[in-house]
């Protein structure tokens, strides 16, 4: 079973059937949605199509953080796995899954690997954690098993071990954070490894953008592909949606899985936006038993594209994340999103690594502090970095130069499951 490739009308029939089942399920089993339906006088029998979802209020991250337990629809005895969000936009929330939810998660990622040209003949080296309640790790693991491909569960970090394993076991693909792929490339250069003679031919990129919204590779994506002749596949997902949007070989947006999810892109007034227009990704999960969500606003700002893809899939595609609503920075009259800052900082050879910190000053205004690892510890390098940032941003953020060891301590706290590039200390 693969992505639905049928006509839009067939997709609508499937979604409407699953949506009606979800509404009945929530009205019986979800304390949160029972209260919401009662408070707003929602008659689920009036919701006959996806378009009718506008009759239901949205659910926010604040709701999920504040009333986490009220989203649980099953007895504790039926919970097979407890996972959690990373807490990027606030305190982490727990997501409870049943056996069927884990099977759905595997099916979701199986579809994603198929979309990214995966076959049973591949061997995937997983450069990410499978512990610490990290849903993505379990999803990739389960999807690869369902695909029937080989797998090397090596975990994050340690470039020397990654390369030794690649040489020994000859994986055809890696699953990794793009900025870590750059560290692999740097290690290979320093140790004389000819990366283009290795077995690795593709990378499933997680957690960071590798493309601009026009589908072109951003600075991070270009740096990887200029040094390493591999094909990159971008992915977008979240713990709450339990579903991924993954690129095909065309590299023109993450493909939608309409049998698993209903997606809306909404403006500030919770109205749908047109194609090629930024909107907040808002999801309704289909087929989830433990903690299903209805019109849940993820906080992620994307655009969607509704013309058929050259690969043959006809459902919509999502762009890379433009920004996260709560992470928007208003700095000295300029609006900034972290992904745009990441792109700027990745562009410069003088900057080896970085972390962005935003905090409020004494009068409540946003301030930006950049922790940078410079290529050279001298005034000339400092001048080039500051001049570049002033020219590109029109404003001058505060800079603190740190060592490789210091930046690693910032990026990898005891609780972190992936490198932290953005720290929000605003009240």
């Amino acid at each position: 079973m693969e992505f639905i490739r049928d006509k839009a009308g067939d997709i609508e029939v499937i979604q409407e059937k699953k949506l009606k089942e979800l509404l009945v399920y929530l009205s019986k089993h979800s304390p949160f949605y029972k209260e919401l339906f009662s408070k707003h006088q929602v008659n689920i029998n009036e919701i006959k199509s996806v378009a009718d979802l506008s009759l239901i209020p949205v659910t926010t991250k604040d709701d999920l953080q504040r009333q986490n337990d009220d989203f649980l629809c099953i007895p504790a005895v039926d919970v097979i796995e407890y996972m959690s969000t990373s807490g990027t936009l606030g305190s982490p929330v727990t997501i409870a899954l049943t056996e069927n939810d884990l099977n759905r998660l595997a099916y979701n990622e199986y579809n994603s690997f198929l979309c990214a040209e995966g076959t049973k003949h591949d061997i995937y080296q997983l450069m990410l954690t499978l512990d610490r309640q990290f849903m993505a790790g379990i999803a990739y693991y389960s999807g690869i098993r369902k695909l029937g491909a080989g797998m090397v569960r090596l975990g994050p970090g340690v470039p020397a071990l990654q390369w030794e394993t690649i040489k020994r076991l000859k994986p055809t693909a890696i699953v990794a954070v793009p900025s870590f792929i750059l560290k692999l490339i740097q290690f290979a250069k320093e140790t004389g490894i000819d990366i283009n003679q290795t077995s690795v031919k593709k990378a499933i990129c997680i957690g960071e953008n590798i493309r601009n919204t026009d589908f072109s590779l951003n600075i991070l994506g270009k740096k990887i592909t200029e040094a390493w002749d591999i094909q990159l596949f971008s992915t977008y997902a979240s713990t709450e949606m339990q579903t991924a949007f993954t690129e095909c070989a065309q590299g023109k947006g993450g493909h939608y899985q309409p049998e698993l999810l209903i997606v809306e892109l909404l403006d500030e007034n919770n109205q749908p936006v047109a194609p090629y227009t930024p909107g907040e990704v808002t999801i309704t999960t289909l087929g989830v038993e433990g903690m299903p969500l209805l019109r849940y606003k993820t906080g992620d700002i994307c655009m969607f594209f509704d013309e058929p893809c050259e690969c043959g899939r006809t459902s919509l595609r999502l762009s890379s994340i433009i920004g996260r609503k709560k992470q928007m920075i208003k700095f000295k009259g300029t609006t900034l999103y972290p992904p745009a800052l990441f792109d700027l900082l990745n562009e410069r050879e003088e900057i080896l690594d970085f972390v962005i910190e935003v905090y409020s000053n004494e009068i409540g205004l946003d301030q930006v502090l950049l922790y940078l690892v410079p290529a050279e510890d001298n005034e000339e390098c400092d001048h080039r970095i500051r001049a570049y940032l002033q020219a590109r941003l029109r404003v001058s953020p505060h800079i603190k130069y740190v060592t490789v060891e210091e930046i690693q301590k910032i990026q990898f706290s005891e609780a972190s499951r992936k490198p932290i590039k953005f720290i929000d200390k605003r009240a």
Side-chain angles (χ1 to χ4, degrees), residues 241-260:
M241 69 172 70
Q242 305 180 42
T243 313
F245 291 77
T246 304
E247 283 184 340
C248 68
Q250 301 299 321
K252 294 185 177 178
H255 280 282
Y256 179 33
Q257 300 194 58
E259 70 271 44
L260 299 180

Side-chain angles (χ1 to χ4, degrees), residues 212-215 236 245 252-256 262-267 271-283 300-309 314-322:
N212 301 307
T213 54
D214 65 356
F215 310 130
Y236 163 64
F245 291 77
K252 294 185 177 178
H255 280 282
Y256 179 33
I262 295 171
V263 64
E264 305 169 82
L265 270 72
L266 304 179
D267 63 18
Q271 297 301 308
V273 300
Y276 301 93
T277 306
E280 185 171 356
V281 178
T282 304
I283 56 97
D300 296 329
I301 307 299
C302 293
M303 296 190 293
F304 78 93
F305 315 97
D306 59 355
E307 68 275 11
C309 181
T314 58
S315 54
L316 65 79
R317 290 160 287 127
L318 287 187
S319 73
S320 299
I321 296 177
I322 298 169

Side-chain angles (χ1 to χ4, degrees), residues 123 125 152 164-173 198-200:
I123 300 173
Q125 188 155 313
V152 183
E164 186 277 327
T165 307
I166 288 171
K167 181 180 179 180
R168 180 164 49 88
L169 298 179
K170 296 179 173 52
T172 59
T198 66
S199 57
V200 178

Side-chain angles (χ1 to χ4, degrees), residues 358-367 424-427:
V358 59
Y359 60 94
S360 300
N361 65 12
E362 64 277 3
I363 57 173
L365 299 179
D366 291 351
Q367 298 292 300
D424 195 342
K425 290 188 174 180
R426 291 174 291 187

Side-chain angles (χ1 to χ4, degrees), residues 179-194:
S179 57
F180 180 68
I181 299 177
L182 282 184
K183 292 181 180 179
L184 289 178
I185 293 170
Q186 184 62 33
F187 183 89
K189 287 180 179 178
E190 293 171 354
T191 55
I193 297 171
D194 186 348

